[in-house]
PDB file of all heavy atoms in Angstrom:
ATOM      1  N   ARG A   1       4.099  -1.930 -85.753  1.00  0.00           N
ATOM      2  CA  ARG A   1       5.143  -2.254 -84.736  1.00  0.00           C
ATOM      3  C   ARG A   1       5.651  -3.674 -85.096  1.00  0.00           C
ATOM      4  O   ARG A   1       4.963  -4.534 -85.589  1.00  0.00           O
ATOM      5  CB  ARG A   1       4.721  -2.275 -83.311  1.00  0.00           C
ATOM      6  CG  ARG A   1       4.101  -0.875 -82.896  1.00  0.00           C
ATOM      7  CD  ARG A   1       4.041  -0.716 -81.421  1.00  0.00           C
ATOM      8  NE  ARG A   1       3.671   0.678 -81.002  1.00  0.00           N
ATOM      9  CZ  ARG A   1       4.596   1.695 -81.020  1.00  0.00           C
ATOM     10  NH1 ARG A   1       5.776   1.340 -81.152  1.00  0.00           N
ATOM     11  NH2 ARG A   1       4.229   2.851 -80.589  1.00  0.00           N
ATOM     12  N   PHE A   2       6.927  -3.779 -84.909  1.00  0.00           N
ATOM     13  CA  PHE A   2       7.617  -5.054 -85.256  1.00  0.00           C
ATOM     14  C   PHE A   2       7.178  -6.193 -84.275  1.00  0.00           C
ATOM     15  O   PHE A   2       7.301  -6.004 -83.091  1.00  0.00           O
ATOM     16  CB  PHE A   2       9.198  -5.006 -85.326  1.00  0.00           C
ATOM     17  CG  PHE A   2       9.653  -4.107 -86.428  1.00  0.00           C
ATOM     18  CD1 PHE A   2      10.347  -2.880 -86.110  1.00  0.00           C
ATOM     19  CD2 PHE A   2       9.659  -4.465 -87.777  1.00  0.00           C
ATOM     20  CE1 PHE A   2      10.883  -2.073 -87.034  1.00  0.00           C
ATOM     21  CE2 PHE A   2      10.206  -3.727 -88.637  1.00  0.00           C
ATOM     22  CZ  PHE A   2      10.826  -2.522 -88.304  1.00  0.00           C
ATOM     23  N   ILE A   3       6.745  -7.257 -84.827  1.00  0.00           N
ATOM     24  CA  ILE A   3       6.446  -8.421 -83.999  1.00  0.00           C
ATOM     25  C   ILE A   3       7.419  -9.579 -84.376  1.00  0.00           C
ATOM     26  O   ILE A   3       7.447 -10.639 -83.563  1.00  0.00           O
ATOM     27  CB  ILE A   3       5.005  -8.858 -84.053  1.00  0.00           C
ATOM     28  CG1 ILE A   3       4.642  -9.367 -85.564  1.00  0.00           C
ATOM     29  CG2 ILE A   3       4.006  -7.875 -83.640  1.00  0.00           C
ATOM     30  CD1 ILE A   3       3.342  -9.959 -85.717  1.00  0.00           C
ATOM     31  N   LEU A   4       8.208  -9.380 -85.364  1.00  0.00           N
ATOM     32  CA  LEU A   4       9.189 -10.462 -85.865  1.00  0.00           C
ATOM     33  C   LEU A   4      10.214  -9.778 -86.626  1.00  0.00           C
ATOM     34  O   LEU A   4      10.017  -8.884 -87.409  1.00  0.00           O
ATOM     35  CB  LEU A   4       8.455 -11.589 -86.582  1.00  0.00           C
ATOM     36  CG  LEU A   4       9.507 -12.706 -87.028  1.00  0.00           C
ATOM     37  CD1 LEU A   4       8.614 -14.055 -86.958  1.00  0.00           C
ATOM     38  CD2 LEU A   4      10.231 -12.492 -88.295  1.00  0.00           C
ATOM     39  N   ALA A   5      11.426 -10.097 -86.437  1.00  0.00           N
ATOM     40  CA  ALA A   5      12.540  -9.465 -87.191  1.00  0.00           C
ATOM     41  C   ALA A   5      13.876 -10.622 -87.054  1.00  0.00           C
ATOM     42  O   ALA A   5      13.923 -11.312 -86.044  1.00  0.00           O
ATOM     43  CB  ALA A   5      13.016  -8.164 -86.793  1.00  0.00           C
ATOM     44  N   ASN A   6      14.557 -10.653 -88.169  1.00  0.00           N
ATOM     45  CA  ASN A   6      15.702 -11.514 -88.088  1.00  0.00           C
ATOM     46  C   ASN A   6      17.033 -10.704 -87.962  1.00  0.00           C
ATOM     47  O   ASN A   6      16.946  -9.394 -88.138  1.00  0.00           O
ATOM     48  CB  ASN A   6      15.848 -12.543 -89.348  1.00  0.00           C
ATOM     49  CG  ASN A   6      15.985 -11.756 -90.599  1.00  0.00           C
ATOM     50  OD1 ASN A   6      16.026 -10.562 -90.734  1.00  0.00           O
ATOM     51  ND2 ASN A   6      16.093 -12.580 -91.722  1.00  0.00           N
ATOM     52  N   ALA A   7      18.151 -11.423 -87.924  1.00  0.00           N
ATOM     53  CA  ALA A   7      19.369 -10.665 -87.694  1.00  0.00           C
ATOM     54  C   ALA A   7      19.841  -9.891 -88.948  1.00  0.00           C
ATOM     55  O   ALA A   7      20.357  -8.833 -88.710  1.00  0.00           O
ATOM     56  CB  ALA A   7      20.492 -11.820 -87.386  1.00  0.00           C
ATOM     57  N   ALA A   8      19.405 -10.218 -90.099  1.00  0.00           N
ATOM     58  CA  ALA A   8      19.850  -9.525 -91.239  1.00  0.00           C
ATOM     59  C   ALA A   8      19.007  -8.158 -91.381  1.00  0.00           C
ATOM     60  O   ALA A   8      19.590  -7.080 -91.674  1.00  0.00           O
ATOM     61  CB  ALA A   8      19.478 -10.410 -92.628  1.00  0.00           C
ATOM     62  N   ALA A   9      17.733  -8.176 -90.839  1.00  0.00           N
ATOM     63  CA  ALA A   9      16.963  -6.977 -90.754  1.00  0.00           C
ATOM     64  C   ALA A   9      17.706  -6.077 -89.642  1.00  0.00           C
ATOM     65  O   ALA A   9      17.597  -4.877 -89.882  1.00  0.00           O
ATOM     66  CB  ALA A   9      15.525  -7.246 -90.312  1.00  0.00           C
ATOM     67  N   ALA A  10      18.066  -6.490 -88.510  1.00  0.00           N
ATOM     68  CA  ALA A  10      18.703  -5.675 -87.596  1.00  0.00           C
ATOM     69  C   ALA A  10      20.039  -5.079 -88.057  1.00  0.00           C
ATOM     70  O   ALA A  10      20.289  -3.848 -87.762  1.00  0.00           O
ATOM     71  CB  ALA A  10      18.985  -6.443 -86.255  1.00  0.00           C
ATOM     72  N   ALA A  11      20.719  -5.885 -88.923  1.00  0.00           N
ATOM     73  CA  ALA A  11      22.000  -5.316 -89.522  1.00  0.00           C
ATOM     74  C   ALA A  11      21.698  -4.217 -90.558  1.00  0.00           C
ATOM     75  O   ALA A  11      22.384  -3.225 -90.561  1.00  0.00           O
ATOM     76  CB  ALA A  11      22.801  -6.461 -90.162  1.00  0.00           C
ATOM     77  N   HIS A  12      20.697  -4.465 -91.350  1.00  0.00           N
ATOM     78  CA  HIS A  12      20.275  -3.454 -92.314  1.00  0.00           C
ATOM     79  C   HIS A  12      19.902  -2.092 -91.681  1.00  0.00           C
ATOM     80  O   HIS A  12      20.264  -1.033 -92.087  1.00  0.00           O
ATOM     81  CB  HIS A  12      19.165  -3.893 -93.184  1.00  0.00           C
ATOM     82  CG  HIS A  12      19.728  -4.848 -94.184  1.00  0.00           C
ATOM     83  ND1 HIS A  12      18.771  -5.454 -95.170  1.00  0.00           N
ATOM     84  CD2 HIS A  12      20.930  -5.312 -94.525  1.00  0.00           C
ATOM     85  CE1 HIS A  12      19.466  -6.212 -95.924  1.00  0.00           C
ATOM     86  NE2 HIS A  12      20.792  -6.230 -95.599  1.00  0.00           N
ATOM     87  N   LEU A  13      19.065  -2.160 -90.501  1.00  0.00           N
ATOM     88  CA  LEU A  13      18.713  -0.939 -89.762  1.00  0.00           C
ATOM     89  C   LEU A  13      19.667  -0.429 -88.832  1.00  0.00           C
ATOM     90  O   LEU A  13      19.497   0.641 -88.182  1.00  0.00           O
ATOM     91  CB  LEU A  13      17.330  -1.337 -89.171  1.00  0.00           C
ATOM     92  CG  LEU A  13      16.195  -1.717 -89.985  1.00  0.00           C
ATOM     93  CD1 LEU A  13      14.976  -2.260 -89.204  1.00  0.00           C
ATOM     94  CD2 LEU A  13      15.677  -0.685 -90.836  1.00  0.00           C
ATOM     95  N   ALA A  14      20.685  -1.225 -88.603  1.00  0.00           N
ATOM     96  CA  ALA A  14      21.799  -0.767 -87.714  1.00  0.00           C
ATOM     97  C   ALA A  14      21.177  -0.564 -86.121  1.00  0.00           C
ATOM     98  O   ALA A  14      21.553   0.320 -85.507  1.00  0.00           O
ATOM     99  CB  ALA A  14      22.417   0.503 -88.188  1.00  0.00           C
ATOM    100  N   ILE A  15      20.265  -1.576 -85.873  1.00  0.00           N
ATOM    101  CA  ILE A  15      19.626  -1.528 -84.541  1.00  0.00           C
ATOM    102  C   ILE A  15      19.715  -2.800 -84.077  1.00  0.00           C
ATOM    103  O   ILE A  15      19.421  -3.926 -84.537  1.00  0.00           O
ATOM    104  CB  ILE A  15      18.158  -0.994 -84.785  1.00  0.00           C
ATOM    105  CG1 ILE A  15      18.060   0.284 -85.331  1.00  0.00           C
ATOM    106  CG2 ILE A  15      17.376  -1.066 -83.501  1.00  0.00           C
ATOM    107  CD1 ILE A  15      16.717   0.693 -85.886  1.00  0.00           C
ATOM    108  N   PRO A  16      19.948  -2.979 -82.669  1.00  0.00           N
ATOM    109  CA  PRO A  16      20.024  -4.289 -82.047  1.00  0.00           C
ATOM    110  C   PRO A  16      18.661  -5.077 -82.137  1.00  0.00           C
ATOM    111  O   PRO A  16      17.564  -4.419 -82.165  1.00  0.00           O
ATOM    112  CB  PRO A  16      20.271  -4.041 -80.515  1.00  0.00           C
ATOM    113  CG  PRO A  16      20.960  -2.736 -80.571  1.00  0.00           C
ATOM    114  CD  PRO A  16      20.338  -1.903 -81.732  1.00  0.00           C
ATOM    115  N   LEU A  17      18.783  -6.282 -82.325  1.00  0.00           N
ATOM    116  CA  LEU A  17      17.453  -7.117 -82.630  1.00  0.00           C
ATOM    117  C   LEU A  17      16.491  -7.045 -81.585  1.00  0.00           C
ATOM    118  O   LEU A  17      15.295  -6.869 -81.719  1.00  0.00           O
ATOM    119  CB  LEU A  17      17.893  -8.574 -82.875  1.00  0.00           C
ATOM    120  CG  LEU A  17      16.732  -9.549 -83.300  1.00  0.00           C
ATOM    121  CD1 LEU A  17      16.132  -9.097 -84.625  1.00  0.00           C
ATOM    122  CD2 LEU A  17      17.357 -10.992 -83.504  1.00  0.00           C
ATOM    123  N   GLU A  18      17.010  -7.002 -80.299  1.00  0.00           N
ATOM    124  CA  GLU A  18      16.070  -6.949 -79.206  1.00  0.00           C
ATOM    125  C   GLU A  18      15.382  -5.583 -79.153  1.00  0.00           C
ATOM    126  O   GLU A  18      14.179  -5.479 -78.602  1.00  0.00           O
ATOM    127  CB  GLU A  18      16.749  -7.232 -77.816  1.00  0.00           C
ATOM    128  CG  GLU A  18      17.901  -6.323 -77.556  1.00  0.00           C
ATOM    129  CD  GLU A  18      19.286  -6.747 -78.050  1.00  0.00           C
ATOM    130  OE1 GLU A  18      19.180  -7.632 -79.023  1.00  0.00           O
ATOM    131  OE2 GLU A  18      20.359  -6.342 -77.740  1.00  0.00           O
ATOM    132  N   ALA A  19      15.996  -4.494 -79.625  1.00  0.00           N
ATOM    133  CA  ALA A  19      15.312  -3.201 -79.652  1.00  0.00           C
ATOM    134  C   ALA A  19      14.275  -2.996 -80.755  1.00  0.00           C
ATOM    135  O   ALA A  19      13.546  -2.069 -80.653  1.00  0.00           O
ATOM    136  CB  ALA A  19      16.444  -2.153 -79.808  1.00  0.00           C
ATOM    137  N   LEU A  20      14.362  -3.931 -81.714  1.00  0.00           N
ATOM    138  CA  LEU A  20      13.381  -3.795 -82.737  1.00  0.00           C
ATOM    139  C   LEU A  20      11.851  -4.218 -82.374  1.00  0.00           C
ATOM    140  O   LEU A  20      10.841  -3.621 -82.682  1.00  0.00           O
ATOM    141  CB  LEU A  20      13.799  -4.674 -84.048  1.00  0.00           C
ATOM    142  CG  LEU A  20      14.803  -4.026 -84.914  1.00  0.00           C
ATOM    143  CD1 LEU A  20      15.127  -5.044 -86.094  1.00  0.00           C
ATOM    144  CD2 LEU A  20      14.321  -2.732 -85.540  1.00  0.00           C
ATOM    145  N   ILE A  21      11.800  -5.298 -81.631  1.00  0.00           N
ATOM    146  CA  ILE A  21      10.582  -6.086 -81.314  1.00  0.00           C
ATOM    147  C   ILE A  21       9.776  -5.024 -80.458  1.00  0.00           C
ATOM    148  O   ILE A  21      10.296  -4.531 -79.470  1.00  0.00           O
ATOM    149  CB  ILE A  21      10.710  -7.271 -80.551  1.00  0.00           C
ATOM    150  CG1 ILE A  21      11.640  -8.274 -81.394  1.00  0.00           C
ATOM    151  CG2 ILE A  21       9.396  -7.968 -80.350  1.00  0.00           C
ATOM    152  CD1 ILE A  21      11.208  -8.429 -82.832  1.00  0.00           C
ATOM    153  N   GLY A  22       8.562  -4.669 -81.017  1.00  0.00           N
ATOM    154  CA  GLY A  22       7.715  -3.721 -80.223  1.00  0.00           C
ATOM    155  C   GLY A  22       7.842  -2.286 -80.681  1.00  0.00           C
ATOM    156  O   GLY A  22       7.067  -1.421 -80.402  1.00  0.00           O
ATOM    157  N   ALA A  23       8.985  -1.979 -81.502  1.00  0.00           N
ATOM    158  CA  ALA A  23       9.178  -0.749 -82.037  1.00  0.00           C
ATOM    159  C   ALA A  23       8.689  -0.619 -83.427  1.00  0.00           C
ATOM    160  O   ALA A  23       8.292  -1.647 -84.088  1.00  0.00           O
ATOM    161  CB  ALA A  23      10.677  -0.316 -81.988  1.00  0.00           C
ATOM    162  N   SER A  24       8.678   0.503 -83.963  1.00  0.00           N
ATOM    163  CA  SER A  24       8.276   0.793 -85.381  1.00  0.00           C
ATOM    164  C   SER A  24       9.374   1.556 -86.007  1.00  0.00           C
ATOM    165  O   SER A  24      10.202   2.195 -85.364  1.00  0.00           O
ATOM    166  CB  SER A  24       6.918   1.622 -85.552  1.00  0.00           C
ATOM    167  OG  SER A  24       7.165   2.940 -84.932  1.00  0.00           O
ATOM    168  N   PRO A  25       9.477   1.427 -87.371  1.00  0.00           N
ATOM    169  CA  PRO A  25      10.721   2.234 -88.037  1.00  0.00           C
ATOM    170  C   PRO A  25      10.744   3.710 -87.757  1.00  0.00           C
ATOM    171  O   PRO A  25      11.879   4.272 -87.677  1.00  0.00           O
ATOM    172  CB  PRO A  25      10.316   1.943 -89.616  1.00  0.00           C
ATOM    173  CG  PRO A  25       9.524   0.810 -89.633  1.00  0.00           C
ATOM    174  CD  PRO A  25       8.655   0.711 -88.383  1.00  0.00           C
ATOM    175  N   GLY A  26       9.554   4.195 -87.478  1.00  0.00           N
ATOM    176  CA  GLY A  26       9.636   5.724 -87.272  1.00  0.00           C
ATOM    177  C   GLY A  26      10.279   6.118 -85.897  1.00  0.00           C
ATOM    178  O   GLY A  26      10.641   7.216 -85.739  1.00  0.00           O
ATOM    179  N   ASP A  27      10.298   5.099 -84.940  1.00  0.00           N
ATOM    180  CA  ASP A  27      11.006   5.388 -83.769  1.00  0.00           C
ATOM    181  C   ASP A  27      12.519   5.692 -83.796  1.00  0.00           C
ATOM    182  O   ASP A  27      13.030   6.221 -82.892  1.00  0.00           O
ATOM    183  CB  ASP A  27      10.809   4.119 -82.766  1.00  0.00           C
ATOM    184  CG  ASP A  27       9.426   3.926 -82.340  1.00  0.00           C
ATOM    185  OD1 ASP A  27       8.627   4.832 -82.492  1.00  0.00           O
ATOM    186  OD2 ASP A  27       9.019   2.687 -82.007  1.00  0.00           O
ATOM    187  N   PHE A  28      13.076   5.241 -85.009  1.00  0.00           N
ATOM    188  CA  PHE A  28      14.549   5.436 -85.329  1.00  0.00           C
ATOM    189  C   PHE A  28      14.848   6.545 -86.142  1.00  0.00           C
ATOM    190  O   PHE A  28      15.877   6.622 -86.725  1.00  0.00           O
ATOM    191  CB  PHE A  28      15.131   4.075 -85.649  1.00  0.00           C
ATOM    192  CG  PHE A  28      14.657   2.970 -84.756  1.00  0.00           C
ATOM    193  CD1 PHE A  28      13.733   2.016 -85.236  1.00  0.00           C
ATOM    194  CD2 PHE A  28      15.271   2.759 -83.534  1.00  0.00           C
ATOM    195  CE1 PHE A  28      13.477   0.916 -84.390  1.00  0.00           C
ATOM    196  CE2 PHE A  28      14.953   1.784 -82.658  1.00  0.00           C
ATOM    197  CZ  PHE A  28      14.031   0.812 -83.140  1.00  0.00           C
ATOM    198  N   LEU A  29      13.791   7.295 -86.458  1.00  0.00           N
ATOM    199  CA  LEU A  29      13.966   8.437 -87.479  1.00  0.00           C
ATOM    200  C   LEU A  29      13.629   9.686 -86.819  1.00  0.00           C
ATOM    201  O   LEU A  29      12.947   9.759 -85.837  1.00  0.00           O
ATOM    202  CB  LEU A  29      13.006   8.207 -88.753  1.00  0.00           C
ATOM    203  CG  LEU A  29      13.236   7.016 -89.619  1.00  0.00           C
ATOM    204  CD1 LEU A  29      12.057   6.926 -90.564  1.00  0.00           C
ATOM    205  CD2 LEU A  29      14.503   7.022 -90.259  1.00  0.00           C
ATOM    206  N   PRO A  30      14.312  10.788 -87.338  1.00  0.00           N
ATOM    207  CA  PRO A  30      13.962  12.183 -86.690  1.00  0.00           C
ATOM    208  C   PRO A  30      12.645  12.653 -86.927  1.00  0.00           C
ATOM    209  O   PRO A  30      12.032  12.258 -88.033  1.00  0.00           O
ATOM    210  CB  PRO A  30      15.040  13.077 -87.396  1.00  0.00           C
ATOM    211  CG  PRO A  30      15.385  12.399 -88.697  1.00  0.00           C
ATOM    212  CD  PRO A  30      15.306  10.935 -88.370  1.00  0.00           C
ATOM    213  N   GLY A  31      12.063  13.441 -85.999  1.00  0.00           N
ATOM    214  CA  GLY A  31      10.861  14.130 -86.157  1.00  0.00           C
ATOM    215  C   GLY A  31       9.877  13.929 -87.189  1.00  0.00           C
ATOM    216  O   GLY A  31       9.084  12.973 -87.267  1.00  0.00           O
ATOM    217  N   ALA A  32       9.822  14.916 -88.138  1.00  0.00           N
ATOM    218  CA  ALA A  32       8.869  14.925 -89.187  1.00  0.00           C
ATOM    219  C   ALA A  32       9.067  13.612 -90.221  1.00  0.00           C
ATOM    220  O   ALA A  32       8.089  13.046 -90.585  1.00  0.00           O
ATOM    221  CB  ALA A  32       9.060  16.123 -90.188  1.00  0.00           C
ATOM    222  N   GLU A  33      10.273  13.200 -90.390  1.00  0.00           N
ATOM    223  CA  GLU A  33      10.530  11.991 -91.173  1.00  0.00           C
ATOM    224  C   GLU A  33       9.892  10.784 -90.553  1.00  0.00           C
ATOM    225  O   GLU A  33       9.321   9.952 -91.232  1.00  0.00           O
ATOM    226  CB  GLU A  33      12.114  11.804 -91.364  1.00  0.00           C
ATOM    227  CG  GLU A  33      12.343  10.694 -92.369  1.00  0.00           C
ATOM    228  CD  GLU A  33      13.916  10.655 -92.585  1.00  0.00           C
ATOM    229  OE1 GLU A  33      14.551  11.478 -92.078  1.00  0.00           O
ATOM    230  OE2 GLU A  33      14.398   9.584 -93.165  1.00  0.00           O
ATOM    231  N   ALA A  34       9.962  10.615 -89.208  1.00  0.00           N
ATOM    232  CA  ALA A  34       9.268   9.677 -88.442  1.00  0.00           C
ATOM    233  C   ALA A  34       7.706   9.570 -88.668  1.00  0.00           C
ATOM    234  O   ALA A  34       7.242   8.583 -88.898  1.00  0.00           O
ATOM    235  CB  ALA A  34       9.573   9.731 -86.967  1.00  0.00           C
ATOM    236  N   VAL A  35       7.115  10.715 -88.658  1.00  0.00           N
ATOM    237  CA  VAL A  35       5.701  10.866 -88.641  1.00  0.00           C
ATOM    238  C   VAL A  35       5.377  10.506 -90.049  1.00  0.00           C
ATOM    239  O   VAL A  35       4.312   9.649 -90.497  1.00  0.00           O
ATOM    240  CB  VAL A  35       5.206  12.350 -88.528  1.00  0.00           C
ATOM    241  CG1 VAL A  35       3.786  12.457 -88.761  1.00  0.00           C
ATOM    242  CG2 VAL A  35       5.530  12.604 -86.985  1.00  0.00           C
ATOM    243  N   ASP A  36       5.993  10.973 -91.099  1.00  0.00           N
ATOM    244  CA  ASP A  36       5.711  10.641 -92.578  1.00  0.00           C
ATOM    245  C   ASP A  36       5.841   9.124 -92.810  1.00  0.00           C
ATOM    246  O   ASP A  36       5.073   8.531 -93.419  1.00  0.00           O
ATOM    247  CB  ASP A  36       6.721  11.347 -93.524  1.00  0.00           C
ATOM    248  CG  ASP A  36       6.479  12.850 -93.380  1.00  0.00           C
ATOM    249  OD1 ASP A  36       5.250  13.273 -93.078  1.00  0.00           O
ATOM    250  OD2 ASP A  36       7.243  13.621 -93.830  1.00  0.00           O
ATOM    251  N   ARG A  37       6.988   8.519 -92.198  1.00  0.00           N
ATOM    252  CA  ARG A  37       7.079   7.088 -92.433  1.00  0.00           C
ATOM    253  C   ARG A  37       6.001   6.280 -91.738  1.00  0.00           C
ATOM    254  O   ARG A  37       5.549   5.330 -92.300  1.00  0.00           O
ATOM    255  CB  ARG A  37       8.511   6.705 -91.826  1.00  0.00           C
ATOM    256  CG  ARG A  37       8.879   5.169 -91.946  1.00  0.00           C
ATOM    257  CD  ARG A  37       8.805   4.758 -93.458  1.00  0.00           C
ATOM    258  NE  ARG A  37       9.153   3.349 -93.501  1.00  0.00           N
ATOM    259  CZ  ARG A  37      10.370   2.832 -94.038  1.00  0.00           C
ATOM    260  NH1 ARG A  37      11.195   3.732 -94.344  1.00  0.00           N
ATOM    261  NH2 ARG A  37      10.541   1.592 -94.067  1.00  0.00           N
TER     262      ARG A  37
END
C-alpha cells in the first residue's frame, strides 16, 4: 500500500494524489489483473 507518492506519480497513474495514499496499484486495476499485480 502507498505510504508516499508525489504529484508526478499521481499524474502517471491518472489517480488523484489523495486517493493513492493507503491504496495499492491493484485497487485501480480490473479483477484478475489486480490480483496478479
Side-chain angles (χ1 to χ4, degrees):
R1 300 195 174 278
F2 292 112
I3 59 174
L4 184 148
N6 66 356
H12 282 180
L13 295 170
I15 298 165
L17 184 58
E18 57 273 15
L20 278 179
I21 306 304
S24 63
D27 295 340
F28 310 103
L29 296 172
E33 191 176 348
V35 174
D36 292 342
R37 179 61 180 251

